[in-house]
Amino acid sequence: MRVSEYVRHDAVGLAELMARGEVSPAEVEAAAREAVRAVNPALDAVVETWPADDRPAPGSTPLAGVPFLIKDFGISMAGRRTEMGSRLTAGHVARSDSFLMRRLRRAGLVTVGRTATPELAYSITTEPVLYGPTRNPWDPERGAGGSSGGAGAAVAAGAVPVAHATDAAGSLRIPAACNGLFGLKPTRGRVSLGPALDEGFNGLAVQGGVSRSVRDSAVLLDLIRGPEPGDPYFAEQPSRPYAQEVTRPPGPLRIGVLPQAWGGRRTTAPVAGALDRTVRLLESLGHRTEEVTVALGVGWEEFVLANARLSTANVAASVDSLAAALGRPVDSSTLEPSTLAAHRYGRRVSGPEFVTALTVRNRVARGLARYFDTHDLLLTPTLPDLPPLLGTYGEGAEALDGLGWIERLNDHSPFTMAFNVAGTPAMSVPVTADTGTGLPIGMQFAAGYGREDLLFRVAGQLEGAQPWSGRTPGVWAGGRS
């Protein structure tokens, strides 16, 4: 199988070819490895590849034999390095599979390597000191987003059709938007984080994937969803597979539009224009749209402060635990300035301050729930601007404390974190591109708790009306334009 043929298919399509015997799993895997070798020197999206240790029978699952990449964070694969993008954990090897890794194996995916992440996944750009910056395949001078930036760049460039991603503040949706992909952040409790974790970032973190087609993400979520023993959250299981929702008409929906984000960060002209085009497309499909204001339930400064306390306390606990286990110091030789600042700030968060931050989380969840009492969906830009140039996001990081870093994160990505706090599902859809630069622009749709089914229906409808499925930047992906 040639790489140019390989990249024309999504994951479900590749699995179907193998099930029919038109191509062998070995040929598909070889094409994937060739694609990684072709694009990675320029992108730095994949930090390591390894021999496959799972080769399921073709047709045994909807994704049997499909090449796959896992993020270097939030998941463990027995016998493989899990470094979390940090010098602190460089060389660390996982002893066992996490629950999600077991499900990916049962799904029939052939995991051939791991993708880049910023240090401890604590940034919305992927530029770690350990492995260097991951570049955007549409414009290598720009970033691929974060923290699942390696996954986003690898999928967009055609290395694999779908890849594992995590999301605690937008880390799945942001790379989807930057790289022209589909990415859905599931409901809190939809996918297990165990057994090492009961919850990530106190319920803000979830796991999923990014893909070039809606159906790939739907099938992947069908194969990995569901609780494991001891999970602290439980999302009611859907009445039918998500893969079936992709082709179900959503019917006319009431969709609120939030063009300007909480906190005052203004949406730039290219993104505002893309939002307007998206609204017109939705109306042409029979949906009712209206500009809305959405109350978070707390003020913006209180929201940011609470998230700073939650996230830095989690970072501090993780850093201390890893440093003790690996016998390494916590200083500038092992951690980047932003992570060190988070560690210092997090260690100063008091018990009462932490509990108060959890109360804010509850107020935001209830505030957003009231919005979904009257509207089916909320539409926002995923990001207020185009992907930043490499090297610009981290400028002056050494002068910021832990709160200042979270303020920067929320300023650059003010639309995404609220849905992590609330635990509700949200997706980034590549419905358009900037007419000047050709860079993709993502639109975010959010739904009420547990309503991934509605998001998949709308995503499938939009994909059919304005197809992006399978497209990849022509400079990569076997030379396709």
Side-chain angles (χ1 to χ4, degrees), residues 299-352:
W300 182 250
E301 290 184 0
E302 186 178 5
F303 175 83
V304 173
L305 178 60
N307 280 302
R309 287 171 170 169
L310 288 177
S311 64
T312 60
N314 276 270
V315 167
S318 295
V319 166
D320 287 345
S321 175
L322 291 167
L326 297 171
R328 294 174 182 175
V330 178
D331 58 26
S332 60
S333 70
T334 58
L335 294 175
E336 298 169 24
S338 59
T339 315
L340 277 171
H343 177 262
R344 288 192 294 267
Y345 191 94
R347 295 196 77 183
R348 294 195 302 269
V349 174
S350 69

Side-chain angles (χ1 to χ4, degrees), residues 59-142:
S60 56
T61 77
L63 296 180
V66 171
F68 192 72
L69 293 165
I70 56 174
K71 182 178 177 178
D72 191 24
F73 184 85
I75 188 171
S76 61
M77 185 176 186
R80 302 300 181 190
R81 283 189 289 179
T82 303
E83 297 174 305
M84 308 177 200
S86 178
R87 292 166 292 166
L88 178 66
T89 46
H92 172 65
V93 175
R95 295 181 179 179
S96 59
D97 283 354
S98 61
F99 286 153
L100 176 57
M101 192 66 236
R102 295 178 197 173
R103 293 197 177 201
L104 292 171
R105 291 183 191 274
R106 291 199 297 267
L109 291 157
V110 179
T111 302
V112 296
R114 58 190 170 108
T115 59
T117 181
E119 184 168 69
L120 302 186
Y122 203 62
S123 177
I124 62 171
T125 183
T126 302
E127 303 178 49
V129 169
L130 181 62
Y131 287 115
T134 296
R135 297 180 179 274
N136 191 310
W138 298 93
D139 180 355
E141 298 303 312
R142 296 180 183 267

Side-chain angles (χ1 to χ4, degrees), residues 16 31 75 108-109 171 203 222 280 305 312 374 390 400 415 425 458 475:
E16 290 173 344
I75 188 171
L109 291 157
S171 290
D222 279 330
R280 291 196 296 271
L305 178 60
T312 60
T374 58
L390 287 169
L400 298 175
F415 291 104
V458 171
V475 292

Side-chain angles (χ1 to χ4, degrees), residues 237-466:
Q237 294 302 295
S239 59
R240 64 179 62 85
Y242 292 128
Q244 294 180 14
E245 301 291 357
V246 175
T247 56
R248 282 174 58 86
L253 301 176
R254 186 177 184 185
I255 302 175
V257 182
L258 187 69
Q260 304 297 336
W262 304 283
R265 172 65 185 268
R266 305 300 293 177
T267 300
T268 59
V271 178
L275 178 63
D276 289 341
R277 294 193 295 274
T278 303
V279 168
R280 291 196 296 271
L281 175 59
L282 290 167
E283 291 175 343
S284 74
L285 294 170
H287 303 298
R288 175 186 170 187
T289 67
E290 58 182 342
E291 192 166 318
V292 296
T293 58
V294 181
L296 282 178
V298 299
W300 182 250
E301 290 184 0
E302 186 178 5
F303 175 83
V304 173
L305 178 60
N307 280 302
R309 287 171 170 169
L310 288 177
S311 64
T312 60
N314 276 270
V315 167
S318 295
V319 166
D320 287 345
S321 175
L322 291 167
L326 297 171
R328 294 174 182 175
V330 178
D331 58 26
S332 60
S333 70
T334 58
L335 294 175
E336 298 169 24
S338 59
T339 315
L340 277 171
H343 177 262
R344 288 192 294 267
Y345 191 94
R347 295 196 77 183
R348 294 195 302 269
V349 174
S350 69
E353 287 172 338
F354 191 82
V355 172
T356 300
L358 291 175
T359 301
V360 170
R361 185 191 69 176
N362 176 61
R363 289 165 62 189
V364 172
R366 296 185 186 280
L368 285 176
R370 284 191 290 272
Y371 166 82
F372 291 112
D373 284 339
T374 58
H375 292 78
D376 298 298
L377 298 175
L378 177 64
L379 167 64
T380 78
T382 306
L383 292 168
D385 203 351
L386 299 174
L389 294 170
L390 287 169
T392 59
Y393 184 83
E395 289 178 344
E398 62 279 354
L400 298 175
D401 65 3
L403 174 59
W405 184 253
I406 292 297
E407 288 174 337
R408 175 174 293 188
L409 185 154
N410 278 278
D411 182 60
H412 283 263
S413 180
F415 291 104
T416 55
M417 185 177 279
F419 306 105
N420 294 88
V421 175
T424 55
M427 66 181 181
S428 183
V429 178
V431 295
T432 187
D434 175 42
T435 55
T437 64
L439 288 167
I441 296 175
M443 290 292 124
Q444 177 179 244
F445 291 80
Y449 198 88
R451 292 309 308 271
E452 288 96 329
D453 58 332
L454 191 55
L455 291 176
F456 277 123
R457 290 180 210 169
V458 171
Q461 184 184 51
L462 290 171
E463 186 179 38
Q466 185 173 315

